[in-house]
Amino acid sequence: MTLDYIDVGPGLLRVRHGGNGPPLLLLHGHPRTHMTWGHVADLLSPYFTIVCPDLRGFGKSFQPVDSEDSRYSSKRAKALDCVALMQALGHRTFAVAGHDRGSYVAFRLALDHPEIVTKVAVIDSIPIIEHLERMDWRFARDWYHWFFFAQPEKPEHAINADPRAWYSRIHPDFMGKEAYDDLLTAIHDPAVVHGMIEDYRAGLTVDRQDELQYRLAGKRIACPLLCLWSTKDDLEYFFGDPREIWRLWAVNVTGHGIESGHHVAEENPGDLANSLQRFLSGE
């Protein structure tokens, strides 16, 4: 895999890419970098040309400018980065898989660019507006950070005071030392912490509004969509079968659970890679 910094217009994205076959874009979640995909990329690279970027605001990619509604950290802006990145690498069309926050970028790519995205996989997520409309006190209790991160300044102060304490569950057991060290560098950089928090602020402002407008317009994803979720996480506990929710947003939805905790690319890369390979190969 080759490590590059590629200009996508507003700034440089750090990206690792390589492999053989049709292009597959892999998008990480919070607070990860592209390194979370390492094991999965190794398993898939004999069959696909893998492209793994740090999303804007994360890792060692550029930091977007601030705005009152966080629009420069929106999933639409990040999707445009991804289109520019893939075009710079010579890929006019491609498949995309996203985990956690990265799944919202994958979702936005499939909605905004149906002529480019051939297939989309979303992992451990449902649309943001569905989260907000279906949640109850249990979700607010267990996922309070969605709303804490929406507050001005305080989240950054809390995290930067002791990043290791805030992200206390991070350890190298599954991800490996290289990915672990890369992640430690990210969470100890106040600029990156701000960029990651802005992703959540955008979620409750422009991203929610963008999803609402598409729903009111009746727009749905036309390409095949694979919905995967971690059975040891709590998505199904809070919202039931996530495939049923995604069928409100896409015309061709398949999927299943994978035995894993939330960071499935690190905890069960074999089953995740197999699921993506079967879906992308049409098996």
Side-chain angles (χ1 to χ4, degrees):
M1 304 286 280
T2 299
L3 183 64
D4 278 326
Y5 286 82
I6 294 181
D7 190 349
V8 294
L12 300 178
L13 293 186
R14 181 176 68 156
V15 56
R16 203 175 297 265
H17 58 101
N20 298 282
L24 170 60
L25 177 66
L26 298 176
L27 303 177
H28 64 84
H30 176 95
R32 266 40 180 184
T33 72
H34 76 278
M35 296 289 288
T36 191
W37 289 106
H39 299 309
V40 173
D42 287 344
L43 293 168
L44 292 178
S45 59
Y47 313 101
F48 303 96
T49 298
I50 303 297
V51 181
C52 295
D54 292 349
L55 295 168
R56 68 159 71 185
F58 288 77
K60 294 183 180 178
S61 288
F62 77 97
Q63 290 297 325
V65 297
D66 285 340
S67 67
E68 288 188 5
D69 61 2
S70 303
R71 69 176 52 253
Y72 300 111
S73 291
S74 71
K75 310 309 170 289
R76 174 163 279 158
K78 292 176 181 182
L80 287 171
D81 290 344
C82 292
V83 171
L85 169 65
M86 297 301 277
Q87 290 178 342
L89 292 173
H91 306 307
R92 297 182 63 184
T93 62
F94 55 88
V96 57
H99 175 255
D100 186 71
R101 308 300 294 183
S103 72
Y104 299 133
V105 182
F107 174 37
R108 180 53 50 189
L109 272 165
L111 279 175
D112 286 356
H113 306 281
E115 75 287 358
I116 292 176
V117 176
T118 57
K119 291 186 176 183
V120 57
V122 289
I123 308 164
D124 286 332
S125 76
I126 57 175
I128 291 171
I129 197 168
E130 299 287 356
H131 268 289
L132 297 175
E133 292 178 351
R134 295 168 182 263
M135 70 175 57
D136 60 14
W137 65 270
R138 300 171 304 163
F139 182 89
R141 176 196 63 196
D142 296 348
W143 290 80
Y144 71 93
H145 66 278
W146 272 46
F147 310 103
F148 178 57
F149 286 175
Q151 307 309 308
E153 300 182 0
K154 290 183 179 180
E156 287 91 337
H157 291 323
I159 295 172
N160 290 328
D162 193 345
R164 289 287 295 274
W166 185 269
Y167 294 109
S168 59
R169 295 184 180 181
I170 293 175
H171 51 78
D173 293 0
F174 293 112
M175 68 176 71
K177 185 178 186 305
E178 187 178 4
Y180 177 71
D181 290 344
D182 191 64
L183 186 50
L184 286 185
T185 298
I187 66 174
H188 281 86
D189 184 339
V192 175
V193 169
H194 177 66
M196 294 192 297
I197 299 304
E198 281 290 297
D199 182 84
Y200 281 86
R201 293 184 179 123
L204 298 187
T205 53
V206 289
D207 294 334
R208 187 198 70 83
Q209 187 62 31
D210 285 342
E211 290 182 4
L212 176 60
Q213 290 177 354
Y214 267 63
R215 185 169 68 182
L216 292 174
K219 294 185 178 181
R220 300 170 75 196
I221 294 172
C223 71
L225 182 147
L226 177 67
C227 169
L228 300 173
W229 65 96
S230 304
T231 58
K232 295 180 181 178
D233 200 15
D234 54 14
L235 184 70
E236 194 172 13
Y237 167 73
F238 285 126
F239 302 110
D241 187 340
R243 292 170 297 189
E244 295 305 312
I245 298 173
W246 280 110
R247 288 186 176 115
L248 301 172
W249 295 85
V251 298
N252 181 0
V253 177
T254 57
H256 56 86
I258 294 178
E259 186 176 357
S260 176
H262 182 63
H263 294 287
V264 58
E266 299 165 7
E267 297 178 40
N268 193 348
D271 283 358
L272 177 56
N274 287 336
S275 295
L276 291 174
Q277 184 178 353
R278 289 195 301 269
F279 170 66
L280 297 171
S281 301
E283 297 179 8

